[in-house]
Amino acid sequence: MKGPGRAMLLVIAIAAFAALTVLAVLHVTRLQSFSLKGVQRVTVVGNHLLSAREALMLAGFPENPGDQKLRPAAMSVALREHRFVSDASVRRQGKTVVFRTTELRPYFRLVVGNNKYWLCRDGEIIPMDVQKDFGLPFDELRRQVSIRLAGMQLIEDDPAMLALISYAAIRLEDILPRQVEEMRVDLRRKCQLILRGGMTVDLGIIEFDNAADLRDKLSVLDKTVRAARNMDKPVREIVFRDATHAVLITQGT
């Protein structure tokens, strides 16, 4: 192809490239910002700890929205700065603006030395805010068993240990709900339970490679505690040798 034909094709190619570039820029601009004009509803989904109002305030949503433009990427970043928000997104769907959050769910209180944390369901460990973490669900979680570790290295050196400790705490709340005040694990991995009322239970060394031993002891724990409470002399300590042999140590012995 020669002369005018080749020139025409070149012009068409340049025009097409320019059009595509404009469309791409418009698309990116829409992702970077959108107008509130015509919006009739704002909804927050996925929130549990945060109220919808708190989520909107954290994101920087205007109190008196009009035709302002929102920057969804910046608002998502602002939401993710909250310690319990692991992911967030903001987008417009027709006449609705949707704020979607993914929150970490605190499950147990974790104490290591003088430091306090929340152990979340997915294994995340979040520092506790002793000034703010009150009300639901925190007050209710404090009524459950607390986990006290002699050192953070117990779970940092062996992540599987955290799974075993979490499993034990869940089982304790299942078989002895609200009856175990604290589960303590020392650096040798020896596990001791402090029951409400002062009785202690020595579960021995717990190891992920021998998780069956812990499961077997927990399976008879409620029966053993019930027997100890029915003794004529008050029992101060239960010591498990294995799942079939527990020693009851009474007061004064």
Side-chain angles (χ1 to χ4, degrees):
M1 185 178 296
K2 297 181 181 181
R6 180 178 297 178
M8 181 62 70
L9 285 177
L10 182 59
V11 169
I12 293 172
I14 292 173
F17 178 77
L20 289 173
T21 301
V22 169
L23 289 174
V25 169
L26 290 174
H27 178 67
V28 170
T29 302
R30 283 196 295 269
L31 292 177
Q32 291 178 342
S33 66
F34 58 78
S35 172
L36 287 175
K37 185 177 181 179
V39 168
Q40 297 180 358
R41 185 173 66 172
V42 178
T43 183
V44 180
V45 297
N47 57 311
H48 298 281
L49 295 174
L50 292 175
S51 67
R53 181 177 180 82
E54 288 172 327
L56 293 177
M57 288 179 61
L58 282 170
F61 188 79
E63 292 187 8
N64 299 303
D67 293 345
Q68 298 103 315
K69 284 191 175 182
L70 299 187
R71 297 175 59 206
M75 300 182 97
S76 299
V77 169
L79 276 169
R80 287 195 292 269
E81 288 179 355
H82 192 279
R83 61 198 163 110
F84 285 112
V85 177
S86 61
D87 196 13
S89 64
V90 182
R91 62 178 177 175
R92 178 170 176 171
Q93 295 178 313
K95 298 180 179 180
T96 302
V97 176
V98 180
F99 289 75
R100 185 177 300 277
T101 67
T102 302
E103 293 184 4
L104 301 172
R105 305 288 295 276
Y107 214 26
F108 292 104
R109 188 170 67 150
L110 174 65
V111 181
V112 185
N114 295 323
N115 299 317
K116 297 179 180 180
Y117 307 89
W118 294 111
L119 174 59
C120 299
R121 293 189 182 189
D122 61 355
E124 290 285 338
I125 296 174
I126 304 298
M128 182 185 299
D129 188 329
V130 296
Q131 302 298 324
K132 296 181 179 179
D133 291 347
F134 291 96
L136 292 176
F138 302 110
D139 291 348
E140 188 65 21
L141 294 176
R142 285 186 174 92
R143 296 187 181 98
Q144 297 185 160
V145 56
S146 292
I147 301 168
R148 182 179 292 274
L149 303 182
M152 193 64 83
Q153 63 265 39
L154 277 167
I155 53 179
E156 290 177 340
D157 296 343
D158 184 5
M161 190 66 181
L162 179 60
L164 187 62
I165 290 171
S166 300
Y167 161 78
I170 293 169
R171 287 290 291 126
L172 288 172
E173 280 303 318
D174 182 38
I175 59 181
L176 293 173
R178 305 297 191 271
Q179 297 182 51
V180 183
E181 185 172 344
E182 198 168 80
M183 178 174 70
R184 299 176 178 174
V185 184
D186 66 18
L187 294 178
R188 298 173 298 164
R189 303 185 179 186
K190 182 179 179 181
C191 183
Q192 183 185 56
L193 309 179
I194 311 298
L195 274 60
R196 301 191 187 280
M199 187 188 303
T200 63
V201 179
D202 183 353
L203 291 175
I205 303 296
I206 61 173
E207 297 177 299
F208 188 79
D209 292 340
N210 192 21
D213 178 67
L214 176 62
R215 288 197 299 268
D216 291 343
K217 290 174 181 176
L218 292 176
S219 69
V220 298
L221 180 61
D222 58 337
K223 183 187 302 182
T224 306
V225 169
R226 190 163 54 248
R229 288 173 173 165
N230 290 332
M231 293 279 289
D232 293 334
K233 294 181 66 176
V235 173
R236 62 179 175 86
E237 185 177 9
I238 300 172
V239 180
F240 275 93
R241 305 302 186 196
D242 54 47
T244 60
H245 184 195
V247 178
L248 308 184
I249 302 174
T250 58
Q251 300 283 359
T253 59

